[in-house]
Amino acid sequence: MKMHKREKKNTGWKGMIVGMMVLSLIACRHKVPEQNMAERSIIPLPSSITPEEGAFRLKKRTVIAVDEGNEQLKAVGDYLAGLFNPATGYELRVKEVKPSSEGGDIRLTLSNDAPDLGKEGYELKVSRRHMVIRANTPAGVFYGIQTLRQLLPAAIEKDSVQPGPWLIPAGTICDCPVYEHRGVMLDVARHFFPPEDVKRLIDEMTAFKLNRLHLHLSDDQGWRIEIKSWPRLTEIGAQTQVGGGKGGYYTQEEYKALVDYAASRFITLIPEIDMPGHTNAALASYAELNCDGKARELYTGTNVGFSTLCTRKEEVYKFIDDVVGEISALTPGAWFHIGGDESHVTPMEEYIPFIERAQEIVARHDKQVIGWDEISHAGLRPGTIVQYWARAENAKRAVEKGARVIMSPADRTYLDMQYDSLCPLGLHWAGYVEVDQAYNWDPTTLVEGIGREHIAGVESPIWTETITNMDDLNFMAFPRLAGHAEIGWSEAARRDWDDYRNRLGRFARRFQAMGIRFYHSPRVDWQE
Ligand code: TNX
């Protein structure tokens, strides 16, 4: 009897506990806001988003499954786990499965049956229990992961454990980029940025699916890469910077490590050695590069256009051959940038044969030439790419000579241009570049005669006369760089300033979680 009574009582208790659990579960469900894939703020805007009901919940036991036997894809899986582990506090498992199998909760797979996705596109399918990112290449899967990141709450970007829940709204995203070249240029010559800063920038680029980092490695104020056959370039030429600070340079080891770090994020480094102008640091290091045979003084000001290699001296071409050779040996990427801008003290009749010869030297080291738009005055080798920054007529001439163009119009893409007259950093020779001015243009309609087929892509230069550290760099780059990334990735016909402005406003928390100090443009409603 007693037993029976007790059992009865127990059942009552149990019932209550179960009831409370059910109730709290329902309450919990109600606390989670509706999840709608189309309402997430994704930059760059994907080609198509088809939302469905429900959400996938990232849990401690979520397994990432990759096709077996593909090292690069396995690395992408590990990258994904590494991306989500800090904020979730999980240790997500990555396992290899048969390529044809479904296995795992988050499936990363290469499929060969999606020609539309091209080399960098992906398809992301999320349902309640399962998620698949499918692409033709590991790069495509990697870009799918960048989208997945933005489907999660901004707190996923933090580096300490956050409460969650980690819900990813269900649906399908199909996405591929418009342009193959989606770049950033960093001037490490005016102010030196150590390798850890460059890595940081690489990580920031990664989030916006950018794929080329052009490093401006030499200028009047500094030479920033070790050249073993010409050691004084760094012994002397690297020892200062704008304002007279101590400068710095990358050893070849360090440069190689940067190449590898970038490659692990599907970013190609493009080295630039600017010539024949912007060469004072080299001219100070080696007297024989000057026509008068006299070494120049190191320079720490911000003037441009006063220096030139002696284009009539044979040793100058030996110098270029050595420099291009050593740097090319560190460069798995296809390109070598020869600068060629603002050579105001090189007579045109010397500039033209010089640029032609520099192109030959680069070709001999198996690289393709990129140069600033002035190089179109010279003959252009097949495959040479011209980077438009200032003069439309230079870019048009390049296209007439058969070259393709990278679009870096200063009044839209220069991240060192001030946002407005109150901006504490930057220059304004090309005007003020507010966030809408930076976003609201189409590379195919900017210069008459230069259309889609002539354009390799878009690149955003960060000149550093006034920029000395990563916080200031981020402030000038963001949010404008996010807009440039969208111009490079998303169809112009689908882009719209009001829609972008809205997405960008909701991106504020993500910038913060990523530790990016950004400019709070008054033209955007920031949702913080
Ligand atoms: C022009 S863009 C330059 C750079 C300056 C920059 C400052 C280009 C090819 N040359 O040397 O740093 O303006 O905005």
Side-chain angles (χ1 to χ4, degrees), residues 283-516:
L283 301 170
S285 307
Y286 286 98
E288 60 265 43
L289 301 176
N290 297 279
C291 285
D292 61 9
K294 290 193 188 116
R296 297 294 179 261
E297 295 285 310
L298 288 171
Y299 180 70
T300 59
T302 59
N303 289 339
V304 296
F306 60 86
S307 57
T308 186
L309 294 170
C310 186
T311 59
R312 301 185 297 269
K313 277 188 169 175
E314 213 36 49
E315 9 186 351
V316 164
Y317 297 95
K318 167 83 173 99
F319 165 75
I320 295 170
D321 189 56
D322 289 341
V323 168
V324 172
E326 287 195 32
I327 297 175
S328 294
L330 305 170
T331 306
W335 304 276
F336 194 102
H337 201 304
I338 60 168
D341 57 313
E342 297 175 319
S343 289
H344 301 324
V345 294
T346 322
M348 191 53 89
E349 60 279 14
E350 291 186 24
Y351 177 83
I352 288 173
F354 173 88
I355 291 294
E356 292 171 355
R357 207 161 157 193
Q359 287 178 83
E360 276 164 37
I361 294 171
V362 170
R364 254 187 282 124
H365 292 284
D366 289 325
K367 299 294 170 197
Q368 242 172 286
V369 172
I370 307 179
W372 296 106
D373 61 41
E374 288 95 323
I375 70 162
S376 72
H377 287 288
L380 300 178
R381 286 181 66 93
T384 290
I385 294 178
V386 165
Q387 185 163 10
Y388 166 54
W389 66 282
R391 302 215 156 201
E393 71 262 27
N394 285 347
K396 275 197 250 183
R397 190 184 316 107
V399 162
E400 281 154 19
K401 292 184 175 180
R404 290 203 308 153
V405 178
I406 293 169
M407 299 300 250
S408 299
D411 59 350
R412 304 281 188 176
T413 66
Y414 270 34
L415 296 174
D416 64 318
M417 289 300 118
Q418 294 177 309
Y419 291 100
D420 62 16
S421 61
L422 300 173
C423 191
L425 299 161
L427 310 173
H428 56 257
W429 63 263
Y432 298 115
V433 182
E434 246 299 350
V435 177
D436 52 345
Q437 164 82 4
Y439 178 79
N440 232 340
W441 61 285
D442 174 358
T444 66
T445 56
L446 197 66
V447 181
E448 218 198 298
I450 301 187
R452 173 70 192 88
E453 68 277 25
H454 309 119
I455 301 173
V458 180
E459 189 174 295
S460 317
I462 309 174
W463 299 102
T464 59
E465 285 94 335
T466 64
I467 301 174
T468 59
N469 61 67
M470 272 314 276
D471 245 13
D472 288 354
L473 188 156
N474 279 333
F475 178 80
M476 295 307 277
F478 291 99
R480 290 181 291 197
L481 182 57
H484 296 157
E486 181 152 305
I487 296 171
W489 183 280
S490 313
E491 287 291 343
R494 280 174 50 72
R495 292 198 290 111
D496 166 69
W497 163 249
D498 285 325
D499 166 68
Y500 175 69
R501 181 177 172 274
N502 190 292
R503 273 182 291 128
L504 188 58
R506 286 184 290 127
F507 216 88
R509 277 194 215 111
R510 198 168 297 271
F511 284 134
Q512 268 153 357
M514 293 170 86
I516 294 178

Side-chain angles (χ1 to χ4, degrees), residues 108-152:
L108 308 180
T109 184
L110 302 179
S111 69
N112 306 312
D113 56 359
D116 299 355
L117 294 179
K119 279 194 221 151
E120 298 187 304
Y122 64 90
E123 182 195 70
L124 168 64
K125 260 186 191 277
V126 184
S127 62
R128 285 200 171 91
R129 308 222 151 272
H130 196 65
M131 167 166 19
V132 189
I133 300 176
R134 189 186 296 283
N136 294 320
T137 61
V141 173
F142 187 78
Y143 295 132
I145 288 171
Q146 302 312 321
T147 297
L148 175 58
R149 220 174 142 171
Q150 296 184 10
L151 289 170
L152 279 160

